[in-house]
Amino acid sequence: MTIKTAIIKIDSLKPQPERISKAAKFIQNGGVVVFPTETVYGIGANAFDDAACKKIFEIKGRPADNPLIVHVYSLDQAVKIAHIENKYLNKIKKIWPSPITFIAKARADLPKSVTAGLDTVAIRMPAHPVALSLIKKAGVPIAAPSANPSQKPTATTGSQCIKYFDRKVDCIIDSGSSFFGLESTIIDLRTFTLLRPGPFTPEEIETAFSMKPHVGKIASGTASAGRRVISPGTKYRHYAPETPLFMFEGDERRLSSMLESIEVPFAIIGSSEMCAFAERLGCSTVSMGSRKDLYNIAKNLYSSVILLDSLKVKFGIVESFEQRGVGLAIMNRLRKASANKSFSTKRELLKLL
Ligand code: TXA
Ligand code: MG
């Protein structure tokens, strides 16, 4: 089904109030609005409107058992929806708005489409002026997953949202690029476990809460949640380009001998340092920026993965990064984008081809 989509340009730092009002009307009237957050774009609807939230699942092709994050603009709004223990509330007050989502017991009677029938809810206050003004103006919390068709790399720019969702949603707000480029960090407050690494790093969580979060294999992207549903989203394939992508884990100086005699066209996605090296070998490259600035790598990650598909190559090779700080989130997304296929020797690469 195609519908008419209102595309509204809104300044990311100084949102124009009349434009926010126009977009907020769509939310109030049961519509679906694509909007920017500091992490990635979201595709949202009134969190209390079951029919509107169901449309999000349809548009994305999202499995019904994968619940949505509820976005709020104030702590008052959050505590009406989730039961957040007092020992955490004061700390959260200090760090929100920021790119971190908390799973807590649901308090309000949210539609099943939002919680997927769980007795918990994911809740977050985005640190983006447009998102905050939109939620405030709409007067309701906004349930929103990331703005991408299920399994595809997430949109981090307004123009990518238009490519994915024009004529499918009521409104798309175009505010240019998201600030971080990777989805929020998720912490399950019941066990203080990191369910998804993101821009808010484990080190920063420890400082803010005076408590180390539990970080398991799911966080690095090397294991899925399996049958025990902790965070339903972790069991699905994610962020994948159409072109097969393999992760190179090793010293780039050894790459040249590995790439010799590979006759099909391929491209390398990596840091500017890795790309400079690969270009000297005559390879096609997509640079995500210097490896000295991992936040910049994170910001460019999805757009680089999306670009791979336009290069008409048979496969891509992506660099691996140190799993520290935001590097943990980068590796989590890259492992999923490469379906956990990695190599460190030529033999392993040939097996993958
Ligand atoms: O940065 C973000 O978090 C973006 C922006 C739009 O806010 N949103 C986002 O939503 O990434 P989504 O739906 O792509 O990822 C939400 C993840 C999913 O893996 C889902 O399974 C998990 O949160 N989740 C939601 N509710 C949950 C719950 N009650 N318990 C455990 N996991 C939950
Ligand atoms: Mg997502």
Side-chain angles (χ1 to χ4, degrees):
M1 200 180 78
T2 63
I3 58 172
K4 190 171 167 354
T5 301
I7 295 173
I8 309 178
K9 273 198 185 287
I10 303 187
D11 192 285
S12 62
L13 298 179
K14 283 194 188 144
Q16 297 87 336
E18 68 293 348
R19 299 187 189 184
I20 291 286
S21 297
K22 201 173 157 197
K25 281 241 159 54
F26 286 107
I27 298 279
Q28 289 165 340
N29 294 335
V32 174
V33 175
V34 172
F35 64 100
T37 82
E38 81 281 31
T39 54
V40 297
Y41 274 72
I43 169 168
N46 175 356
F48 285 109
D49 184 337
D50 189 39
C53 291
K54 279 199 179 116
K55 284 194 257 175
I56 298 175
F57 284 80
E58 238 169 76
I59 296 166
K60 275 188 64 124
R62 182 177 177 101
D65 67 351
N66 195 1
L68 308 181
I69 296 179
V70 177
H71 297 68
V72 295
Y73 85 93
S74 70
L75 210 60
D76 277 354
Q77 204 177 26
V79 295
K80 282 186 195 134
I81 294 167
H83 178 81
I84 302 173
E85 286 178 68
N86 273 338
K87 64 174 179 183
Y88 293 129
L89 208 53
N90 278 335
K91 317 247 162 150
I92 293 175
K93 203 174 180 172
K94 284 193 191 138
I95 58 169
W96 262 359
S98 54
I100 185 162
T101 298
F102 295 102
I103 308 287
K105 256 204 151 356
R107 178 169 264 163
D109 204 8
L110 290 158
K112 215 174 157 192
S113 52
V114 173
T115 59
L118 300 174
D119 59 359
T120 53
V121 62
I123 193 146
R124 108 173 182 91
M125 191 192 293
H128 194 294
V130 172
L132 288 175
S133 346
L134 179 71
I135 305 163
K136 188 171 181 188
K137 189 71 198 176
V140 288
I142 297 182
S146 51
N148 53 295
S150 226
Q151 302 193 353
K152 288 270 163 66
T154 307
T156 54
T157 62
S159 48
Q160 186 60 39
C161 289
I162 295 169
K163 280 190 195 142
Y164 278 157
F165 295 116
D166 190 18
R167 293 167 186 269
K168 297 198 170 94
V169 298
D170 299 280
C171 171
I172 297 174
I173 299 178
D174 179 356
S175 298
S177 295
S178 300
F179 308 148
F180 287 104
L182 293 183
E183 295 88 344
S184 63
T185 304
I186 304 182
I187 287 280
D188 188 338
L189 283 181
R190 296 168 306 167
T191 52
F192 213 67
T193 301
L194 181 71
L195 297 185
R196 179 175 73 184
F200 206 104
T201 65
E203 294 85 346
E204 288 166 339
I205 294 168
E206 188 179 349
T207 307
F209 288 86
S210 311
M211 225 171 128
K212 244 190 202 316
H214 303 288
V215 180
K217 276 190 163 180
I218 291 173
S220 66
T222 49
S224 71
R227 287 168 61 202
R228 214 177 124 232
V229 177
I230 308 166
S231 188
T234 54
K235 71 182 180 193
Y236 295 110
R237 186 164 178 255
H238 258 100
Y239 323 124
E242 303 284 332
T243 316
L245 186 64
F246 311 125
M247 180 181 279
F248 173 59
E249 297 192 271
D251 184 337
E252 68 199 13
R253 283 167 303 184
R254 287 180 35 230
L255 202 56
S256 54
S257 60
M258 281 182 223
L259 300 178
E260 266 166 21
S261 72
I262 290 183
E263 310 231 305
V264 295
F266 64 92
I268 294 201
I269 304 180
S271 62
S272 51
E273 290 86 351
M274 163 80 106
C275 288
F277 179 82
E279 275 160 26
R280 287 200 291 276
L281 303 174
C283 303
S284 304
T285 60
V286 181
S287 170
M288 299 190 283
S290 171
R291 64 167 69 118
K292 291 189 193 113
D293 180 0
L294 287 184
Y295 281 97
N296 195 38
I297 299 267
K299 191 171 174 187
N300 295 323
L301 190 150
Y302 286 130
S303 46
S304 303
V305 169
I306 288 171
L307 198 64
L308 179 68
D309 284 334
S310 65
L311 295 182
K312 309 263 176 293
V313 291
K314 288 276 183 256
F315 67 95
I317 292 175
V318 70
E319 178 176 351
S320 54
F321 296 88
E322 203 188 344
Q323 297 197 64
R324 272 228 324 254
V326 74
L328 185 67
I330 291 173
M331 285 296 281
N332 169 285
R333 305 309 191 275
L334 289 179
R335 284 196 196 283
K336 291 185 180 202
S338 57
N340 254 322
K341 291 184 176 159
S342 64
F343 68 96
S344 54
T345 62
K346 181 156 189 173
R347 240 179 85 206
E348 286 167 359
L349 173 61
L350 292 177
K351 259 202 209 156
L352 291 171
L353 296 180

